[in-house]
Amino acid sequence: MHPGRSPLAALLRAYPVGSPVAFRPVAEGLLNRGYQVTTSDGRWFLKHYLDQAPGTIAFQHRATALLRGAGIPAVAPLRDRDGHTVHRIGGRWFALFPWVDGRHRGGHDLAPAECATLGGLLGTVHATLLRTLPPVQQPAFTRSADAAESMAVARRLLAGIADRQVREPFDDLAEHRLIERLRMLRRHAHHRPADGDAPRTGYVHGDFHPLNLLYVDGAPAAIVDWDRLAALPDTEETVRAALLFFTGSATGTLDLPRVRTFMHAYRAVADPGRTQLTLAVRRLWWERLNDFWMLTRHYVERDHRSDPLFPASAALIVWWTRHWDEVLEAFVE
């Protein structure tokens, strides 16, 4: 169907962006689908929300607009002709964003000064959200993962691998890592964080990683995909972001000098203090140790999209455990 005669045209008529010329899918996730839309006035990113309430979407849009107004490169949605950022058509919810021509950069591509820029950017995001959004109620406790429950999951996954009639290389690696993880869980079960030892709750982007940050001319130009913006521990997001940017995809080891530079810059803007960061590092380490979501997705849900991430992720928790003191020092000193 020609774009001008499709349901897309009816949606775009609600925005002052010209007439539709072409569109193509560019992203498909659990929370949304994305399309590049070309009109007579330029290019745009159209987001189709799959499983989020309009009130939640509108809150996220208000937050990105506040960040944008504070000088942070958050990509905020356009308003339609009625002044709304969320538009409903055919019982489905959509939003239209400016298209950003940029490129993604992994943490290992960043020079020390650029690692500092990245840390300062995330610190500014957290500080600005905390300053501009409603106060956050701190939970009395947050339950940490139970090693016995995690080991039961691991054993079920192992049994499923053993029953497979045709083995693949992924099965061999998964089996090895599951056996290894069971041994680690037994050895470190006494390190489970207490439910009351949870880091503070702030506001988070929710998915701050290289694919959600676009660079133009060597500088961060657009933070995209704010669909997981929520009130959660911001210190945990900081630690998780460092892992996502600075873990070697082939080795599963963490580039500690880059982490240190990133953290120093973050703390210069939004310093939660050594105690809070220690709680976040310990909690995230424990959750990673108990986490089998990639294997559950592969073997139970038959979804293989996360398979390429598994080797480095599984290797990281082993390396992290063996180098616990050095990793903690990089984050908190």
Side-chain angles (χ1 to χ4, degrees):
M1 181 182 295
H2 188 277
R5 296 189 295 272
S6 71
L8 174 69
L11 188 151
L12 290 178
R13 278 196 292 270
Y15 295 88
V17 295
S19 303
V21 175
F23 72 98
R24 65 180 179 87
V26 294
E28 182 171 345
L30 297 178
L31 297 181
N32 63 73
R33 292 176 181 154
Y35 306 88
Q36 183 192 77
V37 178
T38 302
T39 74
S40 55
D41 287 354
R43 286 186 297 168
W44 318 89
F45 178 77
L46 177 66
K47 181 175 290 187
H48 171 202
Y49 293 92
L50 299 180
D51 191 26
Q52 287 183 288
T56 300
I57 301 170
F59 168 74
Q60 294 164 351
H61 289 177
R62 287 194 298 273
T64 54
L66 288 170
L67 291 170
R68 189 79 181 176
I72 295 168
V75 179
L78 278 69
R79 294 188 178 274
D80 63 20
R81 298 183 189 279
D82 294 325
H84 304 302
T85 60
V86 189
H87 192 83
R88 185 179 184 181
I89 187 167
R92 296 175 291 179
W93 295 98
F94 295 86
L96 193 66
F97 297 80
W99 182 266
V100 180
D101 273 318
R103 67 187 184 96
H104 306 295
R105 300 180 67 190
H108 290 79
D109 295 333
L110 303 180
E114 293 173 318
C115 295
T117 298
L118 181 66
L121 175 61
L122 183 58
T124 304
V125 168
H126 287 169
T128 305
L129 288 172
L130 203 59
R131 185 176 67 250
T132 57
L133 294 183
V136 179
Q137 182 175 355
Q138 300 297 319
F141 68 93
T142 303
R143 185 176 184 270
S144 59
D146 184 281
E149 295 174 3
S150 302
M151 287 190 283
V153 172
R155 293 189 186 100
R156 286 196 295 271
L157 289 167
L158 275 172
I161 294 172
D163 289 341
R164 291 174 67 86
Q165 296 181 349
V166 178
R167 298 271 296 203
E168 299 177 353
F170 188 92
D171 301 321
D172 296 333
L173 176 62
E175 184 176 63
H176 166 73
R177 291 304 191 186
L178 284 166
I179 293 171
E180 178 182 59
R181 194 75 65 84
L182 281 167
R183 186 164 58 246
M184 292 174 68
L185 284 167
R186 286 191 291 268
R187 182 182 306 136
H188 296 287
H190 63 289
H191 290 309
R192 177 185 180 181
D195 291 342
D197 288 340
R200 72 175 193 190
T201 293
Y203 286 102
V204 301
H205 172 275
D207 207 16
F208 195 85
H209 60 69
L211 295 181
N212 282 334
L213 182 61
L214 289 166
Y215 283 78
V216 175
D217 296 330
I223 307 171
V224 300
D225 198 0
W226 293 83
D227 301 334
R228 291 182 173 85
L229 188 152
L232 291 168
D234 48 9
T235 48
E236 283 193 16
E237 171 160 86
T238 306
V239 175
R240 186 180 296 107
L243 299 179
L244 291 169
F245 273 92
F246 303 121
T247 297
S249 59
T251 63
T253 60
L254 194 56
D255 188 326
L256 295 182
R258 281 184 165 89
V259 170
R260 199 173 288 111
T261 300
F262 170 88
M263 289 303 304
H264 284 171
Y266 177 89
R267 296 181 71 181
V269 178
D271 189 6
R274 192 178 189 278
T275 299
Q276 285 293 321
L277 284 171
T278 300
L279 289 174
V281 172
R282 183 175 296 279
R283 177 73 66 135
L284 195 56
W285 165 79
W286 178 254
E287 296 302 320
R288 288 288 184 96
L289 186 63
N290 284 264
D291 190 7
F292 300 102
W293 75 267
M294 293 182 192
L295 296 182
T296 298
R297 180 169 288 183
H298 178 97
Y299 290 109
V300 178
E301 300 173 13
R302 308 297 189 213
D303 182 344
H304 297 177
R305 285 178 293 175
S306 63
D307 289 2
L309 305 176
F310 176 71
S313 177
L316 172 62
I317 191 60
V318 178
W319 184 89
W320 186 353
T321 304
R322 290 174 179 168
H323 297 83
W324 169 260
D325 291 337
E326 299 98 304
V327 174
L328 182 62
E329 187 272 337
F331 278 104
V332 306
E333 296 297 339

